[in-house]
């Protein structure tokens, strides 16, 4: 076996009673590893547990923090850690237990809890970027590790039926989108970056550190987790029939590049819209009109599989 390791698992309370999770934790404890499980019960628990864990890591008491949950849990854990220590002494890992698990899909982390914990114990910890969204009104910046989306996508995410998500997973987002696609109205705005400027109407935009959102849709197919850059995808608002135009843009989900898609890459993007727009940071729902998205290269070390997932 590998040398005994000391881990803290910050576990979303919704998954704490799952037998496969309990079995996976028990198995690595029997192998001689020490795993301290913290179960979230209230908003803010993930960030608080993570702040405590990175302080323990600085004292030499733990080596790895594992986020047990979906993309939102992962963001809470990473955000809390960086708030307490801008250069954490520990590494990070993920046990994917959410609906979409978009970061896990992007990184090739298996959804089986035992296999995910094995990666936390045996795979190398790689330098990984962390992005953040900063408001123009002085609110605290919001970190995210995978993707920020704005427009139609976040509306779909927020309105997807929770029972349907529990039964069929990420496909619930597609069904929600099809049910509401006729309600879409475009947003108008401006996006600026070093060497890039765009202005116009759009149905949706994505700015990714990772590639996938909304249950596996590859919105930013060239994004990398360690390149110090964010990838922008804008789906321009179609002329005339919005419904027909959005349907014509669906090939984006299978990697095609319709004429209505704008792409760019930069270390930061400034976004301004004429009216407030819904924004999702890996499932955390916000609303904003002027904001900046930027990336900090190699902010944390993350245990990732040796082989990246196929594109």
């Amino acid at each position: 076996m590998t040398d005994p390791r000391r881990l803290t698992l910050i576990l979303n309370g919704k998954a704490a009673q799952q037998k496969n999770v309990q079995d996976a934790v028990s198995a690595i404890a029997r192998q001689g590893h020490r795993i301290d499980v913290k179960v979230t019960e209230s908003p803010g628990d993930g960030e608080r547990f993570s702040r405590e864990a990175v302080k323990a890591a600085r004292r030499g008491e733990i080596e790895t923090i594992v986020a047990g949950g979906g993309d939102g849990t992962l963001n809470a854990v990473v955000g809390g850690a960086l708030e307490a220590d801008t250069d954490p002494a520990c590494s990070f890992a993920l046990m994917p237990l959410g609906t979409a698990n978009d970061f896990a899909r992007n990184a090739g982390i298996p959804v089986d809890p035992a296999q995910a914990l094995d990666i936390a114990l045996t795979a190398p910890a790689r330098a990984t970027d962390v992005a953040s969204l900063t408001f123009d009104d002085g609110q605290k910046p919001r970190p995210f590790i995978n993707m920020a989306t704005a427009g139609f996508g976040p509306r779909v995410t927020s309105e997807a039926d929770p029972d349907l998500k529990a039964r069929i997973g990420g496909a619930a987002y597609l069904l929600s989108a099809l049910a509401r696609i006729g309600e879409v109205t475009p947003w108008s705005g401006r996006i600026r970056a070093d060497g890039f400027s765009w202005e116009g109407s759009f149905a949706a935009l994505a700015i990714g550190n990772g590639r996938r959102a909304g249950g596996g849709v590859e919105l930013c197919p060239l994004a990398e987790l360690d390149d110090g850059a964010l990838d922008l995808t804008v789906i321009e608002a179609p002329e005339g029939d919005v419904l027909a135009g959005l349907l014509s843009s669906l090939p984006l989900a299978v990697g095609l590049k319709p004429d209505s898609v704008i792409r760019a890459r930069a270390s930061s993007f400034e976004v301004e819209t004429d009216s407030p727009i819904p924004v999702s940071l890996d499932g955390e729902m916000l609303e904003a009109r002027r904001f900046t998205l930027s990336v900090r290269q190699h902010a944390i070390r993350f245990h990732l599989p040796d082989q990246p997932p196929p594109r």
Side-chain angles (χ1 to χ4, degrees), residues 194-212:
D194 187 17
F196 172 81
S197 179
W198 177 88
E199 180 173 356
S201 296
F202 63 93
L205 65 85
I207 298 179
N209 187 38
R211 298 175 188 168
R212 294 174 172 86

Side-chain angles (χ1 to χ4, degrees), residues 149-158 184-187 202-206 273 277-280 285 291:
T149 56
F152 181 57
R155 180 174 293 173
V156 168
T157 301
S158 65
V184 176
T185 56
W187 286 266
F202 63 93
L205 65 85
T273 56
I277 187 170
V279 179
S280 171
M285 300 306 303
F291 51 96

Side-chain angles (χ1 to χ4, degrees), residues 9-274:
L9 170 61
I10 300 175
L11 181 61
N12 188 306
K14 295 178 182 179
Q17 300 304 315
Q18 293 182 16
K19 187 176 185 302
N20 58 351
V21 172
Q22 297 173 347
D23 290 346
V25 171
S26 297
I28 69 166
R30 288 195 300 270
Q31 295 170 18
H33 303 291
R34 194 190 81 191
I35 180 165
D36 183 20
V37 181
K38 304 286 189 180
V39 178
T40 65
E41 297 178 352
S42 304
D45 282 353
E47 291 89 342
R48 177 169 59 85
F49 291 147
S50 189
R51 289 192 295 267
E52 294 170 354
V54 293
K55 292 176 182 177
R58 188 60 67 183
R59 296 192 297 267
E61 297 171 3
I62 68 166
E63 296 157 329
T64 302
I65 301 175
V66 182
D71 296 313
T73 298
L74 177 59
N75 271 0
V77 168
V78 171
L82 291 176
E83 183 180 358
D85 190 337
T86 58
D87 186 20
C90 58
S91 57
F92 294 81
L94 175 64
M95 180 192 287
L97 300 170
T99 300
N101 295 318
D102 286 308
F103 180 87
R105 290 172 185 259
N106 182 50
I109 300 171
V111 296
D112 177 79
Q115 294 178 15
L117 282 181
D118 183 65
I119 288 173
L121 293 169
T122 63
R126 303 180 188 177
T128 303
D129 301 347
V130 176
S132 64
L133 183 149
T134 303
F135 299 92
D136 71 336
D137 60 3
Q139 294 184 55
K140 182 175 70 173
R142 305 292 183 92
F144 64 98
I145 195 166
N146 185 54
M147 188 176 295
T149 56
F152 181 57
R155 180 174 293 173
V156 168
T157 301
S158 65
E159 295 178 357
D161 187 311
D163 292 335
L164 191 62
K165 290 194 292 183
R167 292 199 303 272
I168 65 174
Y173 296 128
L174 177 59
L175 293 180
S176 179
L178 293 175
R180 290 169 169 79
I181 198 167
E183 304 170 11
V184 176
T185 56
W187 286 266
S188 296
R190 293 150 292 285
I191 304 173
R192 294 181 293 274
D194 187 17
F196 172 81
S197 179
W198 177 88
E199 180 173 356
S201 296
F202 63 93
L205 65 85
I207 298 179
N209 187 38
R211 298 175 188 168
R212 294 174 172 86
V217 179
E218 199 170 56
L219 291 172
C220 298
L222 300 180
E224 300 290 349
L225 293 170
D226 60 358
D227 63 355
L230 296 173
D231 283 44
L232 168 73
T233 296
V234 180
I235 302 178
E236 293 185 298
E239 296 181 1
D241 188 337
V242 174
L243 172 60
L246 281 177
L247 289 174
S248 72
S249 294
L250 287 180
L252 177 68
V254 293
L256 301 181
K257 299 180 179 179
D259 294 338
S260 60
V261 174
I262 304 296
R263 299 192 192 277
R265 175 174 293 181
S267 60
S268 67
F269 290 93
E270 296 178 4
V271 180
E272 180 179 9
T273 56
D274 293 340

